[in-house]
Amino acid sequence: MPLPLTGPISLAAVNLELGRTSDATISLGEPAVRDLAGVPTGPIGKADLRGKSASFAHTITTHQLQLNLRSYLLEQGWDGASSVELTVAAGIYIWSDDTALPALDMGGAFPGGLTLINRGFIMGKGGDGGYLQSNRTTYVTPTPGGPAISLTGPISIDNAAGYIGGGGGGGAGQSGKPDFIFSRQDLYSPGGGGAGGGRGGPANNGDTAGTSLSGFGIGGAIGQAGTTNTSANIFAGQTIAAHGGSGGASGTVSHRGTL
């Protein structure tokens, strides 16, 4: 809690603001008190401490991609030592576009402690769906999703009004020969992308008389559903979502064969 703006200021209150016991030895000229007052040199008095707080509070109000929290807070004016209370505002996404990278990385030490109040969405990248390659033999397995948060030290998290989740794993593809329906064609069903912008697998219907193919489903934009790609090219639509969202839909097959 900040020191009072009016009225007397006791050295006991300054000690408590600095995270000490109220009866700890203290001097107005010591470095910790000068840092709190913002008076690095020269004369200093209790008036210089009015309204000052050893805690740095900040609210994130814009979407963030693969956020390094320590670097970000230093850019916002944090001194690198005081305690931090960080709030992610409602409706704000902190996301990743790479399953190898977390959506939020603490990025280093927080000597004074770190409290995270999340009212938004902290989400890892979704995995890609599995599929059979166009040679109709090689199966590409679905990939796992990525992490939401990487911790480098202690943290207190209030997530009562928010969402934190790693990316969903991609769905498995399926192949088969429905001979009782189609006389000249194998059927391949690609897997859907995992939640968090994962791509659906591309589809190849395996029709040797003539093929109609579709590409990857495209991962959703922030908070939106993925879309199904219906291009005639198996490699069309291999666009990784620009930001986290719902998983990409699977590819689709337009059947061509003899009923």
Side-chain angles (χ1 to χ4, degrees):
M1 178 181 295
L3 293 168
L5 290 171
T6 59
I9 297 177
S10 68
L11 291 179
V14 176
N15 265 331
L16 293 175
E17 186 62 30
L18 291 172
R20 305 169 175 173
T21 61
S22 61
D23 59 353
T25 301
I26 185 172
S27 168
L28 286 176
E30 67 177 271
V33 177
R34 285 188 174 277
D35 288 344
L36 179 61
V39 182
T41 59
I44 182 174
K46 289 184 178 180
D48 296 311
L49 292 163
R50 293 196 180 280
K52 298 302 175 65
S53 174
S55 177
F56 181 82
H58 180 76
T59 299
I60 297 178
T61 57
T62 57
H63 304 311
Q64 302 290 325
L65 171 63
Q66 291 153 208
L67 178 66
N68 183 302
L69 189 55
R70 180 177 172 83
S71 297
Y72 171 83
L73 290 172
L74 288 171
E75 293 173 357
Q76 306 307 311
W78 176 50
D79 62 10
S82 59
S83 63
V84 173
E85 181 177 282
L86 177 74
T87 300
V88 179
I92 294 301
Y93 281 76
I94 298 177
W95 81 97
S96 176
D97 271 348
D98 187 336
T99 56
L101 298 174
L104 185 150
D105 188 339
M106 279 181 63
F110 286 78
L114 171 62
T115 297
L116 171 63
I117 302 171
N118 179 41
R119 299 192 178 105
F121 303 85
I122 302 175
M123 55 192 299
K125 175 74 165 64
D128 293 344
Y131 63 97
L132 197 67
Q133 289 186 342
S134 58
N135 62 15
R136 306 170 192 165
T137 301
T138 305
Y139 178 69
V140 178
T141 59
T143 60
I149 296 179
S150 175
L151 302 181
T152 55
I155 185 174
S156 175
I157 299 178
D158 178 353
N159 195 47
Y163 300 88
I164 299 176
Q174 182 183 28
S175 65
K177 293 184 177 183
D179 295 334
F180 61 96
I181 298 177
F182 301 103
S183 63
R184 297 191 301 163
Q185 164 180 63
D186 293 341
L187 177 65
Y188 302 102
S189 299
R199 300 180 300 182
N204 171 15
N205 70 359
D207 181 359
T208 58
T211 57
S212 177
L213 308 171
S214 68
F216 283 104
I218 300 174
I222 290 180
Q224 303 299 316
T227 59
T228 300
N229 186 289
T230 56
S231 169
N233 185 336
I234 191 170
F235 295 114
Q238 296 186 36
T239 303
I240 298 177
H243 28 55
S246 298
S250 66
T252 60
V253 175
S254 175
H255 304 297
R256 294 184 63 189
T258 302
L259 292 176

